[in-house]
Amino acid sequence: MSEQQQQQALGDITQAVMGLLDSWGLDSKEIQGVLCLPEKMRARALNKFREGTDVFPDDPVILRRASYLLRISDALRTTYPRNPRMAGRWVRQGHRRFGRRSPLSIILRDGESGLIAVLSELDCTFSWDLTGSQSMGYRSPSS
């Protein structure tokens, strides 16, 4: 992949993630925490990400978190196909499987492991892959 293609892909990821986090109603501090961006980063830098005039740092931690967020978004779109606004509500609502804490609070408190926990709750295939489970494939009853 050329340098230009990498920058374009990074720009696409940046805008998709910022759009997602904005749709969830996250403030600047929450966005910094969810993405593990430097605390000294100003709101102006976040606006550049939104506008597409800048891209996320080419940092494996930030990009991995962005990937988890996009997968969470996809799982929520599947869960609530007729109500896209439900995703923003879901991330802020307390859940019994999280001890009545919200998925957002889990992510902010536990970082990457919180993202993994939330994604595992929403996407059973991710959870299955995470445990290292292997499909045994189909076996006929006569085998």
Side-chain angles (χ1 to χ4, degrees):
M1 184 183 286
S2 74
E3 179 69 28
Q4 184 178 2
Q5 289 171 319
Q6 281 182 316
Q7 282 301 106
Q8 179 61 47
L10 196 52
D12 292 346
I13 291 167
T14 299
Q15 289 212 282
V17 170
M18 289 304 293
L20 167 66
L21 298 177
D22 286 343
S23 77
W24 288 356
L26 271 62
D27 63 30
S28 297
K29 203 74 160 158
E30 290 169 328
I31 291 171
Q32 288 171 321
V34 166
L35 288 170
C36 197
L37 294 169
E39 286 186 28
K40 63 181 186 239
M41 185 173 279
R42 294 183 166 192
R44 198 172 0 168
L46 297 178
N47 285 334
K48 288 181 179 182
F49 294 154
R50 282 184 189 94
E51 296 162 359
T53 57
D54 199 1
V55 297
F56 290 151
D58 191 6
D59 177 324
V61 171
I62 294 170
L63 296 179
R64 199 168 43 249
R65 285 173 177 240
S67 173
Y68 289 135
L69 288 165
L70 292 173
R71 288 185 71 178
I72 288 169
S73 174
D74 191 42
L76 285 169
R77 214 176 2 265
T78 302
T79 304
Y80 302 106
R82 296 180 184 259
N83 189 355
R85 291 190 318 254
M86 189 61 188
R89 182 175 172 203
W90 188 88
V91 297
R92 292 188 175 278
Q93 187 174 351
H95 293 277
R96 66 179 168 79
R97 290 195 187 141
F98 294 134
R100 297 282 174 216
R101 293 185 10 241
S102 71
L104 179 59
S105 70
I106 299 290
I107 293 168
L108 290 171
R109 189 191 81 182
D110 298 339
E112 192 167 329
S113 63
L115 282 163
I116 290 168
V118 170
L119 181 54
S120 295
E121 174 65 25
L122 287 166
D123 184 347
C124 62
T125 61
F126 177 79
S127 185
W128 178 266
D129 291 344
L130 195 60
T131 62
S133 299
Q134 298 290 320
S135 171
M136 298 304 288
Y138 174 75
R139 293 187 199 180
S140 70
S142 61
S143 312

